Amino acid sequence: MTNVASFSVEETNLDLINQATGKVVILVGAEGKLDQAAKRANKLTKGAIERFVQGDAFEKMSEGAVAELKFPTGMECSAVIIGKLEKRCTPDAARSLGVNVAKLCEPGHLLLATGNHPKSPLICEGVALRHYSYQDQKSDPTETDLTVTLMISKAEEVKVELDTALAIAEGVFFTRDLVSAPANVLTTTEFGNQLESLRELGLIVTVLEEKELEKLGMRTLLSVGQGSDSPSKVVTMEWKGGGDEAPFAVVGKGVVFDTGGISLKPAGGMEDMTMDMGGAGVVAGLMKALALRNAKANVVGLVGLVENMPSGNATRPGDVVKSMKGDTVEIINTDAEGRLVLADVLWYAQDKFKPSGMIDLATLTGAIIIGLGHDKAGVFANDDGFAKRIVDSAEREGEGAWHMPLAPCYDKLLKSNIADMKNVGGRAAGSITAAQFLQRFVKDDVPWAHLDIAGVASIKSESSFAPKGATGWGVRALNRFIADHYEGTS
Ligand code: BES
Ligand code: MN
Ligand code: ZN
């Protein structure tokens, strides 16, 4: 398990700047005026801060950027980090300042002397989100522990906001750890166990085993997992923080490894398919965040946990399976497995929980990476207003999202000669036909969105808020979406 850096909040005491070891962060606005903390650092360094701020280098820095003065004479610390930030900055600028600080952080101590900057909690959020390193598989993990002191006026007020940001960061780290874990470690059983441990936070966790899934008729989901020795599972996680209103449902694709099945993927890059449970990872992280921050909403998370393997028992191309809804699907390509898992979990979510709305997340198609790359997830919805609210929530949290189309004209691509539909629509509009397939398992009166996160769940270079690897994309977007639209409504 990867821990979020530990934060404490202290009332402004300028002597902390003299004594601080590790690194000290001060903020300076574009006009170069020094606040109390910056003045103290300036005095101790015999004017070094002022000389830097008056120079060209500072002028060229963009909002949210940082510069480091290493081993300043006159101070105990190993560096003063000067952050350029206006008092009235955007949330993005504050968060990215924190991210930039974290990139310079070494294990040990960090003093954030942000004075009375109103967006100090967002700066902390940026530091927390960026200071992540997955070490669980190293026999000799490197030391990464970071202790942060936020020195600020009105510490008590800020503490509440900071605690919420840190609860959400813990959810993000849970997602990243799950996504980073190799498939021989994070089997369907281990994934189920990790979700069961969320009970200690007050979530009601139910694990449905194969026998029960069989009884429920979830044949499309089971057809994906039947080639694997790992048992398929559906796990539900209920958070009841609201009144007696219907819950909001969040559904995740949890393919712990996707070989493609009999329609086997090529060897090159197949190892990346350990992240094919990314949707389920986001649902898990979101549920953890909601519980930790004691969200005043009813939310149920559901994940379909399966492994897509080729074997003597695996589903063949050409097989026809019946979904829980009752529709039959001709499986043309066993590598289009995510939609088969989601079809049954989406139907079960509506059948069991009668949700007021539903969002699914899935690393569903390679085509969404061709369309949108690694900066934005694709948002498909049966309601434009609903899609807009999701895109706006993501934007506010600095997570990219883009509204993609759904339309009946794409349905013809899913026609099967022998069954009610086939599971692939061909190369053209690959992400849309996948979403169109899912829509068949959503009732018309349920506001629903599908988020294709194949491009954003895990990436090979750093993102705006995460180091390279698992990002946890979506935990904050959906937490914001729940907070803004489903809390305090009862
Ligand atoms: N898990 C993959 C999609 C994926 C690709 C996720 C790359 C992350 C990175 C999904 O199950 C898949 O294999 N999709 C196929 C669908 C096709 C057979 C219609 C794809 O995108 O090629
Ligand atoms: Mn696949
Ligand atoms: Zn897949």
Side-chain angles (χ1 to χ4, degrees):
M1 187 175 121
T2 313
N3 291 318
V4 174
S6 71
F7 284 75
S8 62
V9 188
E10 291 197 29
E11 281 294 335
T12 302
N13 165 12
L14 293 179
D15 290 339
L16 288 179
I17 292 179
N18 302 32
Q19 299 149 8
T21 55
K23 299 191 178 187
V24 176
V25 179
I26 55 168
L27 301 179
V28 184
E31 76 294 348
K33 202 164 160 276
L34 304 189
D35 69 6
Q36 275 187 318
K39 273 187 188 147
R40 173 64 67 98
N42 190 51
K43 191 170 161 208
L44 291 167
T45 58
K46 298 206 164 67
I49 308 295
E50 212 156 42
R51 288 197 298 280
F52 177 78
V53 165
Q54 283 161 3
D56 264 6
F58 181 74
E59 196 176 337
K60 285 190 184 126
M61 277 164 65
S62 53
E63 177 87 334
V66 297
E68 192 174 28
L69 301 185
K70 288 192 178 157
F71 304 106
T73 1
M75 293 177 76
E76 296 282 314
C77 62
S78 64
V80 176
I81 297 173
I82 302 170
K84 189 171 188 177
L85 199 68
E86 292 297 337
K87 275 265 144 59
R88 295 167 136 199
C89 66
T90 62
D92 268 349
R95 203 183 292 112
S96 65
L97 185 130
V99 166
N100 291 331
V101 166
K103 286 196 222 176
L104 299 175
C105 276
E106 283 153 9
H109 195 256
L110 180 72
L111 175 64
L112 290 173
T114 60
N116 56 353
H117 197 289
K119 297 213 166 61
S120 295
L122 275 174
I123 297 172
C124 294
E125 183 181 312
V127 172
L129 288 172
R130 186 59 172 74
H131 187 76
Y132 175 86
S133 167
Y134 181 69
Q135 300 274 335
D136 286 3
Q137 310 308 324
K138 301 270 193 196
S139 53
D140 188 13
T142 46
E143 181 64 56
T144 55
D145 286 358
L146 181 68
T147 322
V148 185
T149 306
L150 174 64
M151 187 180 89
I152 194 156
S153 46
K154 300 197 190 134
E156 274 314 306
E157 281 170 41
V158 169
K159 212 177 164 318
V160 178
E161 232 180 299
L162 178 63
D163 283 346
T164 304
L166 294 175
I168 299 162
E170 282 202 41
V172 173
F173 276 35
F174 187 37
T175 304
R176 288 180 185 169
D177 281 354
L178 290 167
V179 170
S180 304
N184 62 327
V185 172
L186 192 78
T187 58
T188 53
T189 302
E190 172 58 19
F191 203 155
N193 291 344
Q194 295 234 14
L195 298 180
E196 284 192 285
S197 75
L198 293 176
R199 282 186 189 130
E200 46 188 77
L201 302 178
L203 287 153
I204 303 168
V205 182
T206 310
V207 182
L208 301 173
E209 303 289 351
E210 279 183 357
K211 254 200 181 149
E212 294 149 276
L213 303 179
E214 212 51 270
K215 251 193 249 157
L216 287 161
M218 294 205 199
R219 282 302 317 157
T220 59
L221 180 143
L222 287 165
S223 76
V224 175
Q226 73 190 36
S228 168
D229 285 347
S230 294
S232 300
K233 293 169 197 283
V234 169
V235 182
T236 67
M237 295 156 267
E238 294 168 76
W239 174 251
K240 295 183 175 174
D244 51 13
E245 75 274 17
F248 189 84
V250 190
V251 174
K253 166 180 173 181
V255 177
V256 295
F257 196 76
D258 181 13
T259 64
I262 298 298
S263 314
L264 195 64
K265 286 181 183 295
M270 200 204 275
E271 68 279 6
D272 293 341
M273 284 304 117
T274 171
M275 54 71 102
D276 210 22
M277 34 54 67
V282 173
V283 173
L286 172 69
M287 296 313 294
K288 181 166 186 175
L290 293 174
L292 283 173
R293 74 169 181 80
N294 205 3
K296 302 280 175 285
N298 294 338
V299 181
V300 56
L302 302 98
V303 295
L305 307 180
V306 300
E307 186 178 36
N308 189 18
M309 295 286 261
S311 85
N313 197 38
T315 295
R316 295 161 284 263
D319 284 3
V320 174
V321 292
K322 196 182 203 118
S323 65
M324 180 182 172
K325 181 187 174 195
D327 291 355
T328 59
V329 181
E330 182 187 9
I331 297 175
I332 301 294
N333 189 324
T334 63
D335 198 12
E337 84 297 341
R339 62 198 77 181
L340 298 171
V341 174
L342 289 174
D344 275 341
V345 185
L346 286 168
W347 194 257
Y348 177 73
Q350 295 162 97
D351 191 62
K352 169 93 181 167
F353 296 103
K354 313 276 182 279
S356 58
M358 193 161 62
I359 293 179
D360 76 73
L361 298 108
T363 49
L364 204 64
T365 66
I368 202 70
I369 308 176
I370 305 301
L372 299 178
H374 297 286
D375 291 297
K376 287 180 192 289
V379 179
F380 302 81
N382 60 1
D383 175 316
D384 284 350
F386 194 66
K388 183 172 185 318
R389 291 195 283 283
I390 294 169
V391 172
D392 288 349
S393 298
E395 206 104 290
R396 264 199 63 185
E397 296 295 323
E399 296 185 323
W402 195 258
H403 188 184
M404 300 283 289
L406 277 174
C409 57
Y410 296 102
D411 271 333
K412 56 182 178 294
L413 298 169
L414 293 172
K415 274 203 175 126
S416 160
N417 288 334
I418 60 166
D420 298 339
M421 70 193 89
K422 56 181 183 176
N423 77 328
V424 290
R427 266 174 66 81
S431 303
I432 305 175
T433 52
Q436 206 72 36
F437 180 95
L438 296 180
Q439 190 177 13
R440 294 173 179 226
F441 299 90
V442 178
K443 296 178 181 167
D444 286 340
D445 58 349
V446 179
W448 157 78
H450 154 61
L451 275 49
D452 194 335
I453 60 169
V456 296
S458 180
I459 49 192
K460 299 212 181 298
S461 53
E462 62 179 356
S463 73
S464 59
F465 59 91
K468 71 175 180 213
T471 62
W473 186 102
V475 173
R476 286 178 306 120
L478 293 192
N479 175 70
R480 164 67 52 201
F481 178 77
I482 299 287
D484 286 356
H485 304 291
Y486 294 86
E487 277 185 62
T489 50
S490 58

